[in-house]
């Protein structure tokens, strides 16, 4: 049976990989993003490979925009099997230097967005059998300097995921989250071209699995959470971070002599 899947933030990075993964399984995929050109380009690339995809333009922080997106989905398929709330932004700045509008935009997209999309699309979800996956971050509970708004939003999304799972359980809908660590999402991430190599080495030294993850690592975790194999999994947050969050401190690299002594 062909599933109908909505992925927000699907133009680039993790969202694009999630959309590709579901398209590869033969699902009908709705790719939604605020970047109209980017999301259409990715959807068109998937269509050229034979996938059933539709691109939609949406601002997940706007109720009217989300409602218009849901209406388009309803007119095409009538129902959804999976909703993946991936759209998110960051604005790195110390809390004391951040303007109120900057704070509000991060929280609106990263926290209110998944709430609005899930609520508005709720009538479209198959009940029982539907699944919602929120893309949060390990940095919602293990913070980085200069990310107060991002950390607050992602930490709130982690808590909201668990609350949503409790509300949805009686309807046969499962709600889970994935929490990525450092994921290579673009050629210049996590720094500019001149700094990227040094940054990659620094990350590799800190991540037990050595280095940044690939967006498809996250995508496959999302796909599993939406599969029959995870039928008894709800209210959980699956960390996809190469073991980064499992350690108390950055690893101490012992020399061979120290290890043997």
């Amino acid at each position: 049976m062909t599933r109908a899947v909505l992925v927000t933030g699907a133009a680039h990075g993790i969202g694009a990989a999630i959309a590709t993964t579901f398209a590869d399984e033969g699902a009908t995929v709705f790719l939604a993003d605020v970047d109209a050109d980017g999301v259409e380009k990715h959807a068109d690339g998937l269509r050229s490979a034979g996938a059933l995809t539709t691109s939609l333009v949406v601002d997940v922080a706007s109720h009217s925009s989300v409602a218009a997106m849901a209406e388009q989905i309803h007119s095409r398929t009538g129902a959804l099997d999976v909703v993946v709330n991936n759209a998110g932004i960051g604005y790195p700045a110390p809390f004391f230097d951040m303007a109120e509008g900057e704070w509000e935009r991060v929280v609106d997209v990263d926290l209110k967005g998944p709430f609005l999309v899930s609520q508005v699309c709720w009538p479209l979800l198959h009940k029982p059998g539907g699944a919602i996956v929120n893309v949060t971050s390990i940095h919602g509970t293990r913070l980085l300097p200069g990310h107060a708004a991002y950390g607050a939003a992602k930490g709130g999304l982690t808590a909201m995921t668990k609350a949503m799972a409790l509300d949805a359980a009686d309807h046969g809908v499962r709600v889970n989250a994935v929490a990525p660590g450092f994921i290579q999402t673009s050629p210049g991430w996590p720094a500019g071209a001149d700094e990227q190599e040094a940054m990659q080495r620094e990350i590799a030294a800190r991540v037990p699995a050595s280095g940044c993850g690939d967006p498809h690592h996250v995508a496959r975790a999302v796909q599993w959470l939406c599969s029959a194999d995870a039928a008894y999994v709800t209210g959980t947050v699956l960390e996809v971070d190469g073991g980064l969050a499992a350690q108390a401190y950055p690893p101490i690299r012992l020399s061979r002599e120290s290890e043997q002594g």
Side-chain angles (χ1 to χ4, degrees), residues 33-47:
D33 203 290
V34 72
D35 178 358
D37 292 338
V39 73
E40 173 56 24
K41 181 178 179 180
H42 187 49
D44 187 58
L46 293 175
R47 282 194 296 270

Side-chain angles (χ1 to χ4, degrees), residues 6 80 130 209 245 261:
L6 167 65
L80 284 169

Side-chain angles (χ1 to χ4, degrees), residues 7 9 30 32 35-36 38 56 77 80 86 93 101 104 130 137 146 151 156 165 176 202 205 210 217 223 225 241:
V7 183
F30 294 94
D35 178 358
L56 303 169
T77 64
L80 284 169
N86 170 73
E104 289 176 345
S137 170
N176 293 290
E202 176 67 16
S210 298
H217 293 146
Q223 185 184 40
L225 285 171
D241 67 346

